[in-house]
Each structure stands twice: as C-alpha cells, then as structure tokens.
C-alpha cells in the first residue's frame, strides 16, 4: 500500500479548480496517492494558483512561508508550486523559497508524477513551465465523480492579448482539444450520473478544432454534439469574449434547450476609450447588440459580467459610462475588481494615475448598483415556478435538498423523496441575494 498522502490547495478561477481535480485523479492513478484535507499529515503538497489578482506572488510566498516549518520537521515532504504564478515567477520562486521541490505550469501538470519520482531519486529541484500544447489531456485518467454538475476544459490559452492580462503569457496561445476527446469525457461523466456540463476556457467561444481530414468543429458545432449526449440536461460555459459571440452562436439558443438562460459575458468597461486602451476589440454598441439579440431569442436570459475599475486613464466620465451600461443592461451579477498591473503586460507601462481611494470608491459604487439589480432579480423570482437541477443535500441542514436555477441561484427545499440528479419544479417562497427557498411542486419531465 502506498504511503503517498497528497494535499492540494487551489487559488484562482474555475480553470485552476479543473486542473487541480485532474492532478488529483492523475496522482491517485500513477502514485496511488490518498487525497487528504490536512496539510500537516501530507507528504506531497501542491499549491496551484493563478496570477490575475493583485500581489498574487506575495500571497504565494506567504503561503509557502507557512509550509516552511513542515519541510524543516520532515525534509522528505515534497512541495510543488503550479499554475500561472509558477510560469510568471519561474526560478525566482526558488530564490525566496529554496525549499520548494517542483515548479510546474498549467500545460505540464501531467508530468508531476514523473517529477516526484525524480525528486525522490536525485534530491534536486525540478522546473517545467514549458508549453507542450495540450498533451496533458492524453495522460488524464477518466474521471470518477459523484457530482451532478462537472467542469470540462475544451480550450487552453488565449490569443487576445488584452493589455492588462497575463494569461496568454502564462497559459500560452489558444489550442482547442479534439472534440472526440471532449465528447468521450462528457459521455463518461453522463454514465456516472452527471446531468450538467460546464464548459471551460479562457475564451471558450473561440473553440475551433480542425481534424486530419480538414473538417472544422467550431463552438456551435461542439454544443450541438454535446446536446445529443443522453441525460445531459443543462449546458453552461465560461468565459466568453464578446468578439467571438457570433450570430451563429446566438442563433443556437433557438435550437438547444439544454443551454441555460444565463450567460457570463465580460465587458470590463462601459467606455469605448477604455476598451480601446484595454485592446478588447469591440465597442459598447457591439456589446449591447449581442445582449439585444440574445434577449429576442431568450427573453428571460440573465447576463453576468466582469468589470475592471480604475484602469489607467479612466476618468469620472468613463466610470459613469460603465454605471450607465450597468443600468441599461440590468446585469444579474458581476465579478468586479480594482485594476492592478501585471508584470510584463503593456498596461503595466501606462501611467496609473488614479488614487487607491478613488478606485475603492468607484468599486463600491459599481458593486452597490450590481447588488441592487441582483436583489431585484431574486425578488422577482418570488412566487414563480423555477426549474431546479437538484445537486444534493444541504451541508448546513440535512433536512433540505439544494439545487440551482438556470440563472445560477441556489434553491433549498424540503421533500421526503430523493430527487438528486433530477430537474424539479420549485415554487419560490423566500428570496435572498444569491439564494432562494422554495416548495416542491413536481418533477420536470422535460427531457429534451
């Protein structure tokens, strides 16, 4: 029996979460690792983290500092650092944390088992932050799951090179996975009871795979193929780029009912001037037209977005244009952040002329308006019948089941029967900002 006990800590986006789940599957298969929740009892420690947030590297070194004593007390512990920060910092990590054994990137995580064996044999640190395209997917074992909803990565990297973003430098250029592999992975999950698929990519709707015969499968083609898989009742995807949100993709909402009435479409700013400085490649009229076309086909569709506040050159007028856009679109929710320069990006060379106080004030105002809209949308759901995909029993109250609406609200309800994995109709009786409580009405027999 193996004595490998693995602890994984994950910071960042859903792509990081997906990568960590694949690391766990791989380590369990190749090194017979037992995944544990206590770092003190682990002999293999992995930190998988992103580099998008401000001072991501400082957060990394603070965490490593807390693990330093574990290494002192047990020199055989192997500490690994991966993800976008690992690519960004590279060997500099060793300069400040010489006790780190392995540094790997998002495209080399499949090499961790081999690297661990080498470390144990040669007792020398290893760094592999190269970009070997998408070979990692060839090494992943078929996932085992008990979840109702699962993430699937379909495209790696990004070609947009927005001036503030480090992702193209840390995850590489866009590379789409073969659609056959994606379909096989989803069928495997479906056979295990998964009912909802959440497709992932830095720019998911740029997906385009060309096979050896020259046949092209773009994102809408892929969605059609997924919709044909038995028992997949819902399809979500994150993150989209407005430039790739084509009319073809919009029209597919007429044909695929499994696509939920919810789209996350980052806009970043309501000012054309700032969008140009960000190199976002669209303007506000074009963004609004996408939403308008979607709402013609799906009148009840809800939209969420991303916003960067205080980008260099953002005036009060630019900020007011962002607020105007928020009020015009009526966003359901958002991920909004104060701008922070990322090393090596073009925006990091711009004059960051806005005070931290002003940035925080603008962020507070923006989040206030978004929260008001979120609250109103939740309140409008009161006394309505919502289709809810039941995911499990509430961890906080074993008397309640929970699931999600199409617009991603968590709904809690009581019932004597077990409907986990099924779509059910719930009448909403209580409304909070992001969660709802309701009464079971019936099973939703719409199997598409």
């Amino acid at each position: 029996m193996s004595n490998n006990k693995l602890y994984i800590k994950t910071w960042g986006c859903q792509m990081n979460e997906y990568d960590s789940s694949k690391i766990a599957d791989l380590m369990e298969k190749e090194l017979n690792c037992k995944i544990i929740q206590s770092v003190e009892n682990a002999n293999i420690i992995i930190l998988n983290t992103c580099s998008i947030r401000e001072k991501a590297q400082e957060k990394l070194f603070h965490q490593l500092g807390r693990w330093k004593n574990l290494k002192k007390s047990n020199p055989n512990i192997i500490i690994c650092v991966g993800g976008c920060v690992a690519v960004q910092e590279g060997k500099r990590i060793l300069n400040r944390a010489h006790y780190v054994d392995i540094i790997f990137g998002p495209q080399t995580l499949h090499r961790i088992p081999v690297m661990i064996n080498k470390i144990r044999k040669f007792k020398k640190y290893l760094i592999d932050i190269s970009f070997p395209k998408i070979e990692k997917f060839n090494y992943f074992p078929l996932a085992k799951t008990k979840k109702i909803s699962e993430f699937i990565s379909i495209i790696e990297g990004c070609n947009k090179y927005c001036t503030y973003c480090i992702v193209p430098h840390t995850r590489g250029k866009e590379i789409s996975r073969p659609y056959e592999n994606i379909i096989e992975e989803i069928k495997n999950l479906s056979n295990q009871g998964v009912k909802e698929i959440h497709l992932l990519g830095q720019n998911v709707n740029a997906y385009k795979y060309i096979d050896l015969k020259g046949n092209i499968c773009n994102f809408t083609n892929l969605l059609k193929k997924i919709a044909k898989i038995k028992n997949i009742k819902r399809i979500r995807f994150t993150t989209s780029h407005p430039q790739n949100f084509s009319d073809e993709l919009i029209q597919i909402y007429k044909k695929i009912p499994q696509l939920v009435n919810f789209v996350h479409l980052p806009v970043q700013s309501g000012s054309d001037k700032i969008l140009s400085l960000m190199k976002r490649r669209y303007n506000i009229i074009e963004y609004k037209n996408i939403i308008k076309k979607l709402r013609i086909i799906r009148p009840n569709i809800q939209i969420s977005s991303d916003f960067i506040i205080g980008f260099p050159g953002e005036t009060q007028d630019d900020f007011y244009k962002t607020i105007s856009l928020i009020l015009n679109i009526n966003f359901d929710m958002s991920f909004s952040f104060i701008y922070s320069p990322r090393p090596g990006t073009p925006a990091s060379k711009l004059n960051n002329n806005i005070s931290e106080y002003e940035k925080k004030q603008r962020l507070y105002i923006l989040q206030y308006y978004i929260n008001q809209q979120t609250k109103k949308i939740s309140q409008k759901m009161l006394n309505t019948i919502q289709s809810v995909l039941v995911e499990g029993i509430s961890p906080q109250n074993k008397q309640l089941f929970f699931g999600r609406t199409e617009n991603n609200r968590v709904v809690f309800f009581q019932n004597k029967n077990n409907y986990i994995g099924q779509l059910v109709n719930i009448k909403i009786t209580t409304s909070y900002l992001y969660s709802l409580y309701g009464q079971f009405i019936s099973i939703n027999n719409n199997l598409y």
Side-chain angles (χ1 to χ4, degrees):
M1 179 177 286
S2 171
N3 291 320
N4 289 324
K5 296 179 180 179
L6 172 64
Y7 174 84
I8 304 177
K9 191 174 189 68
T10 308
W11 290 330
C13 65
Q14 292 156 327
M15 292 289 287
N16 289 82
E17 295 287 348
Y18 176 83
D19 285 347
S20 289
S21 71
K22 292 304 178 184
I23 291 171
D25 291 343
L26 188 65
M27 295 287 281
E28 187 176 16
K29 177 189 176 186
E30 298 296 330
L31 297 182
N32 196 22
C33 282
K34 180 181 180 183
I35 314 301
I36 63 173
Q37 303 303 314
S38 170
V39 68
E40 288 79 12
N41 296 323
N43 56 7
I44 302 173
I45 303 172
I46 295 177
L47 176 58
N48 183 26
T49 180
C50 78
S51 59
I52 293 175
R53 302 291 174 260
E54 183 180 12
K55 298 179 181 177
Q57 56 269 56
E58 291 306 313
K59 187 178 178 183
L60 162 71
F61 290 119
H62 287 155
Q63 181 61 68
L64 291 176
R66 289 191 284 271
W67 290 345
K68 185 177 181 179
N69 290 333
L70 295 174
K71 186 81 168 183
K72 277 186 179 180
S73 61
N74 181 4
N76 292 321
I77 287 176
I78 295 176
I79 298 179
C80 313
V81 177
C84 295
V85 164
V87 178
Q88 175 187 309
E89 296 299 307
K91 197 172 182 178
R92 288 192 296 269
I93 292 172
L94 294 175
N95 296 336
R96 292 182 58 177
H98 56 85
Y99 44 88
V100 170
D101 298 287
I102 293 172
I103 299 172
F104 65 93
Q107 306 304 340
T108 54
L109 56 87
H110 59 292
R111 299 175 181 174
I112 297 173
V114 172
M115 296 170 79
I116 286 174
N117 286 333
K118 286 183 178 180
I119 287 288
R120 286 173 170 167
K121 185 176 181 179
F122 299 109
K123 305 294 183 182
K124 182 176 172 60
Y125 71 83
L126 290 171
I127 301 176
D128 189 346
I129 51 175
S130 58
F131 295 93
K133 296 192 176 180
I134 54 171
E135 73 174 41
K136 67 181 182 181
F137 292 100
N138 297 328
Y139 290 82
F140 293 158
L142 287 174
K144 297 178 182 178
T145 186
K146 294 182 180 178
K147 295 180 180 178
I148 301 303
S149 178
E150 279 285 2
F151 294 114
I152 301 287
S153 178
I154 67 167
I155 182 172
E156 292 280 323
C158 184
N159 291 347
K160 291 294 183 281
Y161 288 92
C162 299
T163 58
Y164 56 84
C165 186
I166 199 168
V167 165
H169 307 280
T170 57
R171 282 190 175 263
K173 294 182 179 180
E174 287 174 359
I175 304 176
S176 298
R177 289 180 64 190
Y179 69 85
E180 300 97 333
N181 294 357
I182 297 169
I183 297 302
E184 180 187 11
E185 187 174 354
I186 296 175
K187 284 181 177 178
N188 168 58
L189 294 172
S190 174
N191 291 336
Q192 296 180 70
V194 170
K195 299 295 193 298
E196 178 181 88
I197 294 298
H198 196 143
L199 306 175
L200 295 179
Q202 269 73 38
N203 184 11
V204 70
N205 47 351
Y207 177 88
K208 183 179 181 180
Y209 179 73
I210 304 175
D211 65 20
L212 295 176
K213 296 180 180 179
N215 299 314
I216 298 174
C217 178
N218 64 14
F219 188 51
T220 53
N221 299 144
L222 180 65
L223 290 173
K224 291 175 185 177
K225 294 177 187 295
I226 294 171
K228 293 177 182 178
I229 298 175
K230 186 179 179 182
N231 294 327
I232 296 300
K233 298 181 178 181
R234 282 185 178 174
I235 303 172
R236 301 182 186 270
F237 55 86
T238 308
T239 283
S240 298
H241 192 288
Q243 190 184 25
N244 294 106
F245 218 104
S246 64
D247 285 342
E248 182 187 21
L249 177 55
I250 293 169
Q251 291 301 313
I252 209 69
Y253 276 83
K254 289 181 181 177
K255 301 174 183 178
I256 301 180
Q258 293 96 320
L259 278 170
V260 295
N261 271 337
F262 186 84
V263 169
H264 183 70
L265 190 59
V267 64
Q268 307 301 358
S269 173
S271 163
D272 285 341
K273 182 193 86 177
I274 298 301
L275 291 178
S276 179
L277 288 171
M278 291 178 169
K279 200 179 175 184
R280 288 293 287 173
R281 296 186 172 93
Y282 56 84
N283 58 41
I284 291 304
I285 290 177
E286 290 168 336
Y287 184 89
K288 285 182 176 180
N289 280 338
I290 294 170
I291 307 301
K292 182 180 179 180
K293 291 174 184 177
L294 278 170
R295 284 176 168 162
I296 290 172
I297 295 171
R298 297 276 190 96
N300 295 321
I301 200 165
Q302 300 295 338
I303 311 296
S304 69
S305 195
D306 293 348
F307 295 93
I308 295 174
I309 301 304
F311 189 82
E314 181 188 79
T315 63
Q316 280 286 359
D317 183 60
D318 295 319
F319 175 66
Y320 290 148
K321 287 177 180 177
T322 299
I323 297 301
S324 175
L325 177 71
I326 287 170
L327 296 174
N328 180 270
I329 298 294
N330 191 29
F331 290 103
D332 188 2
M333 54 186 72
S334 78
F335 298 95
S336 48
F337 309 96
I338 289 174
Y339 167 77
S340 62
R342 310 315 302 139
T345 59
S348 66
K349 299 174 184 177
L350 297 175
N351 181 19
N352 196 359
N353 59 343
I354 309 166
S355 71
E356 288 302 307
Y357 174 80
E358 180 63 28
K359 289 178 184 178
K360 289 177 181 177
Q361 287 295 105
R362 292 179 188 179
L363 181 67
Y364 174 82
I365 293 168
L366 181 144
Q367 291 181 340
Y368 169 80
Y369 281 109
I370 292 285
N371 285 339
Q372 289 298 109
Q373 292 180 172
T374 303
K375 185 177 180 181
K376 287 180 181 178
I377 290 169
S378 291
Q379 287 175 339
K380 283 183 179 179
M381 296 172 75
L382 273 174
N383 299 316
T384 64
I385 306 296
Q386 295 291 323
S387 177
V388 174
L389 179 60
V390 186
E391 296 185 26
I393 298 172
S394 169
Q396 289 78 31
N397 185 343
K398 302 299 181 183
Q399 304 300 313
L400 297 176
F401 289 95
F402 78 94
R404 290 181 187 271
T405 61
E406 289 197 40
N407 64 340
N408 222 23
R409 296 294 194 284
V410 177
V411 179
F412 299 94
F413 67 96
Q414 198 167 26
N415 201 272
K416 62 181 179 180
N417 297 318
N418 185 341
Y419 291 118
I420 294 175
Q422 296 191 55
L423 285 171
V424 297
N425 296 315
I426 302 291
K427 182 177 181 179
I428 305 304
T429 56
T430 307
S431 164
Y432 296 101
L433 193 62
Y434 297 114
S435 62
L436 308 165
Y437 286 77
Q439 177 185 351
F440 176 86
I441 300 297
S442 63
I443 296 174
N444 188 334
N445 290 315
N446 183 6
L447 299 178
Y448 311 116

